[in-house]
Amino acid sequence: MSEAERLHRHLIGQQGSRRSLNTPALVLDLDMLDRNIAEMATFAKAHKVNLRPHSKTHKSADIARRQIKAGALGVCCAKLGEAEALGEAGVESLHITSPVVTPQAITRLIELNGKIGGLMVVVDHAANVDALAAAAVKAGKPLTVVVDIDPGMHRTGVATPDGVVELVRKVTQQKSLKYAGVQFYCGRHQHIKDFAERKASIEERTEYLKGILAKLEAAGLKPGIVTGSGTGTHFIDAKLGVFTELQVGSYVFMDHEYNICDLRGLDRPTFEQALQIDARVVSANTAGMVTVDAGLKAMATESGPPQVLKGAIEGSTTRFMGDEHLAVIAPEGKAAPGLAEQVILTPPHCDPTVNLYESYHVVKGDTLVEIWSVTGRGRSR
Ligand SMILES: Cc1ncc(COP(=O)(O)O)c(C=O)c1O
């Protein structure tokens, strides 16, 4: 039994039980989550593009199943370990978006391929193609691969158009590998705040991708799948119509980094901030300022301190006060919350925040309704 279940299982279904959670607690608003999932599913359907949401955001079999139920083909995983965790939990159809290259990891990949139906993995190097092909031959089941294209950020992917054609050709020459398509993820473009600026920059990158797709087609190597995109560019990418599937991740939760981006040029948020952190005031001895129990260990911090969603007067700000503590500062002349009061925060960056917790406390309104495990927590190998 998880710690969250031990402490909070008895609260499930009790009206108002969110207020009794021990804090800090990772809380997921179920109605908001479901509205976000439905909104993206409807959008994809209307634009005739498939969805394969990225599970790196939530690492949760429960959420993956909800996305698939709403129409997604499956989910993406950032790492082999995440794919193993979701596979163990019964989620089939997994695409691993980072290369798997070491002999020990390739052994595990081939094992997973033997166990689940729809596994795909990216490749971006000839030596990796050889290694995967050799391992798949031994196992006797073909491995489906997607060639990763570097969009210019030099994280992963083949760096040149001719290099892509060459690698795809090599993949097609391996009997034990199945060429499914290409991946193109423009990570740097996702968080450009201004819609017009984001649109112009992604259009430029899409022209580059189209040039590669034309070369592949001319060489008789047309990809079945063109996968990529993210929450920041999904709207623009779907209109451009080059991707056959979208790998959107963060839309399910919407952290602050994303919430300040105008995703659809509408000047209002499209998705809701479903992921929250409940904290409590543990010290209230300074006028206009209190200390709550959610510090550096309670959330990812590289994007700054969290926003206050509820529990403190509008305009309140936060400042980290160390590993365990956060200051909540009321606007000039206003009162801060009282001792032991609940303060609800929205994390600056969801993915690494989720990885700090073993469980989601799933709420409807202010009632705890379920506890879900963070299935792939820490499975980053
Ligand atoms: C390869 C890849 N695809 C898709 C995503 C999902 O992007 P987002 O969270 O911006 O929707 C990510 C996120 O980092 C990613 O690395």
Side-chain angles (χ1 to χ4, degrees):
M1 191 190 302
S2 69
E3 226 242 325
E5 280 169 338
R6 188 175 64 75
L7 290 173
H8 300 141
R9 204 171 39 162
H10 68 285
L11 297 174
I12 292 177
Q14 265 183 43
Q15 192 75 36
S17 52
R18 179 175 187 171
R19 284 190 295 277
S20 302
L21 293 177
N22 292 270
T23 52
L26 189 70
V27 173
L28 182 55
D29 186 304
L30 188 57
D31 292 334
M32 288 185 188
L33 172 79
D34 283 342
R35 282 196 293 269
N36 288 345
I37 291 174
E39 171 58 40
M40 189 61 92
T42 306
F43 172 83
K45 209 169 170 200
H47 289 80
K48 298 190 169 43
V49 62
N50 289 320
L51 267 189
R52 199 184 298 268
H54 213 306
S55 72
K56 73 190 280 290
T57 307
H58 54 70
K59 293 170 171 275
S60 154
D62 294 281
I63 298 176
R65 276 194 277 272
R66 282 177 120 80
Q67 290 172 315
I68 292 167
K69 198 168 168 216
L73 297 176
V75 293
C76 296
C77 299
K79 295 292 187 74
L80 171 61
E82 283 174 12
E84 288 172 331
L86 291 186
E88 283 157 23
V91 182
E92 300 260 326
S93 195
L94 303 169
H95 168 47
I96 304 172
T97 60
S98 312
V100 174
V101 302
T102 64
Q104 59 274 29
I106 291 173
T107 303
R108 287 164 47 211
L109 178 75
I110 296 296
E111 261 173 43
L112 185 62
N113 192 43
K115 283 185 202 152
I116 68 168
L119 186 69
M120 304 196 297
V121 65
V122 294
V123 284
D124 71 358
H125 199 283
N128 190 215
V129 171
D130 286 335
L132 294 179
V137 164
K138 262 202 214 154
K141 179 179 176 188
L143 178 68
T144 303
V145 300
V146 170
V147 170
D148 189 22
I149 303 172
D150 177 8
M153 65 176 174
H154 310 314
R155 183 174 76 176
T156 62
V158 182
T160 64
D162 288 339
V164 175
V165 176
E166 215 176 293
L167 197 68
V168 168
R169 185 169 291 118
K170 186 171 173 67
V171 168
T172 60
Q173 288 163 352
Q174 316 300 314
K175 281 211 175 69
S176 59
L177 300 182
K178 195 172 153 225
Y179 165 53
V182 294
Q183 172 176 290
F184 188 76
Y185 175 66
C186 294
R188 276 208 203 123
H189 299 75
Q190 299 303 319
H191 288 95
I192 300 174
K193 267 195 215 163
D194 181 70
F195 180 76
E197 200 186 316
R198 195 174 340 111
K199 182 166 178 285
S201 66
I202 208 70
E203 280 171 356
E204 186 275 323
R205 283 295 77 194
T206 305
E207 285 307 308
Y208 175 69
L209 174 61
K210 278 160 91 175
I212 296 175
L213 296 177
K215 271 179 182 272
L216 285 171
E217 195 162 352
L221 301 168
K222 188 174 186 239
I225 292 173
V226 182
T227 181
S229 192
T231 301
T233 61
H234 77 278
F235 181 81
I236 306 158
D237 289 324
K239 303 274 173 206
L240 292 172
V242 175
F243 288 114
T244 63
E245 50 187 69
L246 306 178
Q247 298 186 358
V248 282
S250 302
Y251 75 99
V252 284
F253 291 161
M254 291 305 287
D255 51 35
H256 180 64
E257 265 191 320
Y258 256 133
N259 208 42
I260 54 175
C261 294
D262 179 4
L263 295 186
R264 295 191 179 169
L266 301 170
D267 218 13
R268 63 175 157 78
T270 303
F271 301 102
E272 299 172 65
Q273 291 191 275
L275 190 76
Q276 300 159 17
I277 297 167
D278 283 12
R280 289 272 171 186
V281 176
V282 291
S283 187
N285 294 323
T286 307
M289 174 187 151
V290 293
T291 301
V292 300
D293 56 4
L296 299 170
K297 289 184 192 165
M299 69 202 80
T301 60
E302 88 291 351
S303 305
Q307 305 295 305
V308 176
L309 187 69
K310 266 191 208 157
I313 216 151
E314 207 182 323
S316 295
T317 55
T318 66
R319 175 157 52 84
F320 286 118
M321 299 282 274
D323 294 345
E324 323 296 343
H325 299 123
L326 180 86
V328 175
I329 305 147
E332 190 67 32
K334 302 278 180 163
L339 191 67
E341 281 184 10
Q342 179 194 47
V343 176
I344 302 179
L345 306 163
T346 51
H349 188 185
C350 287
D351 306 23
T353 296
V354 165
N355 200 42
L356 298 169
Y357 291 85
E358 58 166 13
S359 307
Y360 291 99
H361 294 85
V362 184
V363 299
K364 256 182 175 290
D366 62 358
T367 300
L368 180 71
V369 292
E370 281 184 70
I371 296 173
W372 293 346
S373 125
V374 181
T375 321
R377 181 197 183 191
R379 302 284 293 266
S380 55
R381 280 184 275 262

